[in-house]
Amino acid sequence: MIKGGIDTALRAGDAERSLIKYPALILLGAALQGFFRYCWRINIHGFSRRCEADLRDRVFSHLQKLPLSYFQYAKTGDLMSRLTNDIHAVRELMGFGSLAIVDAVVVIVFSLTLMITINPWLAFWSMLAMPLIPIVVRFFGRQIFRWSRDTQAQLSDMSAYVLENLSGIRVVQAYAQEQNQIRGFDAISSEYRRKSMWLTTLWGIFWPLMQVMAGLAATVVLWLGGRQVLQGTMTLGEYVAFTGYLGMLTWPLMAIGYTANQYQRGTAALSRIAEVLDTPISPRYRALPASNGSPPIRGAVEFRNLTFVYAGADAPALKNINLQIPAGTVCAIVGETGSGKSTLVNLLLRLYEPEDRTIFVDGVDIKQLPRRRLEDAIGYVSQDIFLFFGSVRDNILLGAENGETDRVDEAARIAQLLPAIELFGAGFDTVIGERGMRLSGGQKQRTALARAIIKKPPIVILDDAFSSVDAETEDEILRELKQFTQGRTTLLISHRLSTVRDADRIVYLRAGELIEQGTHTELIARRGAYYELYRRQNLAREVESMARAEGRP
Ligand SMILES: Nc1ncnc2c1ncn2[C@@H]1O[C@H](COP(=O)(O)OP(=O)(O)OP(=O)(O)O)[C@@H](O)[C@H]1O
Ligand SMILES: [Mg+2]
C-alpha cells in the first residue's frame, strides 16, 4: 500500500485523491491487524493464566499432603520459589512464548515473501546480517536469564533472612544480636546490588548491539537499493516498502531468540515443579475402601511391637513398644528428654508413618482406618504450639466442625483461658498476631488446649501441654479437665510427676524403650527409674518450700 501510494502519487495526475486513499487503506489494514492480534492474544493469555492458576493450586494442595519427612530436608525458600517463579516461567512459555513464536513466523513469512517479490536480489543481501539477530539474542538472553535468576535467588534469600529475623526478633534483641544481624543483612543486600548492576550492564550492551545489527541491514539496503533507485531499476515506492518490511523483521527475529531461551527456562521450571508433584503424598492421604456405617470410635489404643526409625537417623527412636490403653483411661508417659514420648504420639497421629499392624485403635490397624475417622477421633495439643494469624475464636474453632461456635466459651473455660480473655480488649475477637505473638507462652498453650477440647474427641493427646503454666493454674486446668477427660482416652505427656500421679497408668520411656509401667503407687513400690525421678523432683520441691518457709527466694 505504501508502495502503491508513493508510486501513484509520484506518477499520476490525481495525486490529491491517492494521498487520501492510501493512508486510509493503511490505517484500515493496521486496525484489522490490531483487532485480530487483540482477539487471539486475549485468548492465549486467558488460557495460559488459567493453566497457571490451575498448576499453582495443584502444587500447593500437593504440598499440603507431602509427608513431614519431606519438609525435614526441603528448604522453605526453595519451595516458595517453585510455587512462584517457576510457575511464572511456565506461564510465560505457554502464553507469551507460544504467542511470540506464531506471531514471528507469520510476520517473517509475510515480510520475506513480499520483499522477495519486490526485489529478490536486494532481499538476499539484506538478509545476510539478519540471522545474527536470533543468535545474539539467544546468547545474551542466556546470560541475562542466568543473572536474573541469580538476582531473583538473592532476593528470596533476602526475604528469607528478613522473615527469620522478624520471627526471632525476641532472641535477637535478648542476645544483643542486632549488629550481627544488620551485618548479615548488609552482606546479602550488597550482593543483591552487585548482581542487579551486572544485569543492568548486560541489558545496556544488548540493546545497542541489536540496534547496530538492525542498522547493518538498513545500511545494506540503503546502499544497494539507493543505487537501484537512482539507476531507475527500482521505483521509490518499492524501495520505501522494502525498508518497511525489513524494519518489520527485526522484532520477530528477536522474538525467536528470546523464545528459545524461554523454552529452556520453562522446561527447566516445569521439571522442578514436576519433581514436587512426583513426590508421593503421605500414605495417610491415600484413599481407603469406604467403610460406611462403622461404629463411632471408642478410643482403645494399642501399640504392638512398635519400632520406629526416623528417615535418615541411625538409631531407632522407639524400640519394640508394647502398650495397651483401654478406652476411657488416662495413660501418662514420662521419661527424659529425647526418650521418644512425642514420637510415640506422632505415630498414633500418623504424622509419621508406623509399620503396618503396630498401632491399633479399637482393635483396627490405624493404617486401615480412613484418615478423617482418625483425625476426627483425636484432639491433640502439640509440644510446640502453632497459632494462626487471626482471632482467638478462629484459632479455637480450628478444631471444630461448623456450628460449634457457641461452645467456644465452654472450651475456653475448661482450658482456664477465660481470665486471660477478659483482659484482652476485644475478648474472643482479639487478633493474636502472627503465630500468636501477642499471647504469653501459657496463654498459647491454653488456646491450643481449648482447640482440642472443642472437638470433644474420644482420644485426647496432651504433649507437655502444661509446661508453660504455673503449678496453680495447672492444678486448676487438671481439675476442670478431669470432668472433660472422663470417658475419653487420654495420653498425657509431662515432665512434672505431680501432673501424672493420678493417671490410671504411667509408662516410663528411656532411650526409646518402655522400661516401666504401672500406677503411681506400684511404680513407687518398685523403686526403679520412676521412683528415682520422683525422689529427685520431690527433693527439689522440698528444698524449694523450705527456702520459702525461711523467707529466702
Ligand atoms: N523429625 C525427626 N527426625 C529425626 N530424628 C528425630 C525427629 N524428631 C525427633 N527425633 C529424635 O528422636 C528422639 C526422640 O524424640 P522425641 O521428640 O520423641 O523426644 P521426647 O521424649 O518427646 O523429648 P522431649 O521430652 O524433649 O519432648 C530424639 O533423639 C530426637 O533427636
Ligand atoms: Mg517431646
Side-chain angles (χ1 to χ4, degrees):
M1 278 182 255
I2 295 175
K3 163 180 163 292
I6 294 178
D7 286 348
T8 10
L10 288 180
R11 228 180 305 121
D14 51 0
E16 292 282 315
R17 264 234 329 273
S18 50
L19 266 186
I20 300 174
K21 184 179 129 202
Y22 282 101
L25 275 175
I26 287 171
L27 210 63
L28 186 72
L32 273 176
Q33 189 197 24
F35 177 72
F36 284 118
R37 267 210 178 142
Y38 169 81
C39 286
W40 81 284
R41 236 154 234 250
I42 287 284
N43 254 312
I44 292 251
H45 275 304
F47 173 73
S48 70
R49 288 266 177 205
R50 269 199 306 280
C51 289
E52 181 195 19
D54 200 54
L55 191 60
R56 204 172 28 216
D57 289 353
R58 266 204 25 212
V59 175
F60 186 75
S61 53
H62 193 79
L63 275 179
Q64 300 302 295
K65 296 180 181 172
L66 287 180
L68 288 187
S69 49
Y70 179 83
F71 297 99
Q72 224 162 301
Y73 296 103
K75 274 167 50 193
T76 314
D78 178 56
L79 289 179
M80 279 174 66
S81 110
R82 287 181 202 213
L83 254 171
T84 50
N85 297 343
D86 284 351
I87 287 184
H88 180 77
V90 172
R91 195 209 73 218
E92 287 251 289
L93 179 63
M94 283 191 316
F96 184 79
S98 56
L99 202 78
I101 206 77
V102 175
D103 238 25
V105 169
V106 169
V107 174
I108 289 174
V109 169
F110 176 77
S111 308
L112 260 186
T113 317
L114 288 171
M115 279 161 72
I116 292 170
T117 333
I118 295 176
N119 192 331
W121 181 73
L122 197 55
F124 170 75
W125 283 109
S126 64
M127 275 303 98
L128 277 188
M130 284 303 197
L132 279 179
I133 294 186
I135 294 170
V136 169
V137 171
R138 182 142 161 70
F139 172 77
F140 267 86
R142 213 181 282 167
Q143 296 298 319
I144 287 173
F145 167 59
R146 232 195 65 215
W147 282 94
S148 52
R149 192 186 48 194
D150 276 11
T151 318
Q152 196 68 42
Q154 195 68 25
L155 194 65
S156 352
D157 278 2
M158 199 149 82
S159 22
Y161 191 88
V162 174
L163 186 71
E164 192 185 59
N165 170 277
L166 293 182
S167 338
I169 194 78
R170 271 177 216 238
V171 181
V172 170
Q173 295 193 344
Y175 280 80
Q177 288 301 300
E178 305 87 354
Q179 285 310 322
N180 277 339
Q181 291 279 314
I182 291 171
R183 264 197 299 282
F185 183 77
D186 187 51
I188 298 182
S189 169
S190 330
E191 186 62 14
Y192 177 65
R193 197 199 53 218
R194 193 181 69 79
K195 285 180 176 163
S196 336
M197 269 319 289
W198 182 227
L199 195 61
T200 316
T201 314
L202 277 175
W203 277 115
I205 301 174
F206 174 70
W207 281 120
L209 205 64
M210 285 324 296
Q211 271 165 351
V212 166
M213 276 190 305
L216 212 64
T219 317
V220 172
V221 172
L222 183 65
W223 184 47
L224 294 178
R227 262 208 337 226
Q228 285 200 333
V229 174
L230 290 181
Q231 286 164 4
T233 41
M234 191 182 186
T235 66
L236 188 59
E238 278 173 343
Y239 173 78
V240 173
F242 193 92
T243 34
Y245 293 133
L246 190 69
M248 276 166 74
L249 275 182
T250 319
W251 268 107
L253 283 172
M254 283 176 70
I256 286 180
Y258 183 73
T259 316
N261 286 333
Q262 241 180 7
Y263 177 76
Q264 208 174 28
R265 211 177 311 169
T267 45
L270 204 57
S271 73
R272 277 157 55 85
I273 295 168
E275 211 175 270
V276 175
L277 287 177
D278 285 345
T279 308
I281 54 170
S282 162
R284 65 184 276 157
Y285 293 104
R286 273 182 211 140
L288 284 171
S291 52
N292 292 330
S294 24
I297 286 185
R298 286 173 46 247
V301 175
E302 185 188 349
F303 299 92
R304 209 182 281 169
N305 300 326
L306 170 68
T307 296
F308 180 74
V309 190
Y310 278 107
D314 325 314
L318 289 174
K319 287 174 222 151
N320 199 26
I321 303 286
N322 280 293
L323 173 63
Q324 284 189 9
I325 308 169
T329 63
V330 177
C331 176
I333 305 164
V334 296
E336 286 111 66
T337 146
S339 54
K341 306 181 294 295
S342 299
T343 307
L344 191 68
V345 295
N346 285 345
L347 288 170
L348 174 59
L349 285 154
R350 273 189 93 182
L351 291 177
Y352 293 91
E353 267 318 277
E355 300 266 327
D356 283 346
R357 303 195 52 74
T358 49
I359 305 180
F360 299 83
V361 168
D362 288 354
V364 181
D365 182 1
I366 57 166
K367 296 185 77 166
Q368 302 304 321
L369 217 55
R371 177 175 61 87
R372 285 305 303 230
R373 236 166 105 66
L374 186 68
E375 279 169 8
D376 288 344
I378 302 179
Y380 168 54
V381 181
S382 55
Q383 192 166 15
D384 46 341
I385 294 198
F386 190 91
L387 299 176
F388 289 90
F389 183 88
S391 66
V392 181
R393 185 194 309 279
D394 293 342
N395 268 290
I396 295 177
L397 277 172
L398 190 73
E401 299 287 318
N402 295 334
E404 291 177 343
T405 330
D406 42 331
R407 294 225 316 271
V408 172
D409 252 38
E410 191 200 341
R413 185 182 53 78
I414 298 175
Q416 299 295 312
L417 191 62
L418 284 181
I421 288 196
E422 273 155 24
L423 288 181
F424 296 155
F428 280 108
D429 295 315
T430 310
V431 173
I432 57 179
E434 241 174 285
R435 273 164 287 115
M437 188 84 164
R438 290 182 54 196
L439 299 187
S440 75
Q443 286 166 349
K444 271 189 241 179
Q445 285 189 329
R446 278 174 278 165
T447 310
L449 183 61
R451 187 191 269 175
I453 289 172
I454 200 167
K455 256 175 105 171
K456 293 201 168 169
I459 302 173
V460 183
I461 298 175
L462 306 173
D463 189 351
D464 224 359
F466 311 117
S467 58
S468 308
V469 297
D470 59 277
E472 269 168 48
T473 317
E474 181 181 353
D475 280 347
E476 271 172 56
I477 295 180
L478 283 175
R479 219 176 306 126
E480 290 288 339
L481 210 56
K482 212 163 239 159
Q483 279 182 16
F484 175 74
T485 55
Q486 195 77 49
R488 297 175 208 278
T489 314
T490 310
L491 278 78
L492 178 64
I493 298 177
S494 181
H495 286 279
R496 257 186 242 163
L497 295 193
S498 54
T499 315
V500 304
R501 56 179 299 162
D502 292 334
D504 296 309
R505 180 201 316 249
I506 302 168
V507 301
Y508 196 106
L509 288 183
R510 174 174 287 163
E513 281 179 278
L514 199 162
I515 55 166
E516 282 177 19
Q517 59 174 308
T519 61
H520 176 74
T521 344
E522 283 166 8
L523 289 176
I524 292 293
R526 249 188 90 154
R527 313 248 152 197
Y530 180 83
Y531 173 73
E532 270 307 305
L533 186 64
Y534 180 71
R535 225 169 45 95
R536 276 205 309 266
Q537 291 199 357
N538 249 8
L539 209 62
R541 237 206 333 252
E542 266 167 35
V543 172
E544 217 172 84
S545 61
M546 260 160 56
R548 219 177 291 142
E550 288 172 21
R552 277 185 282 134

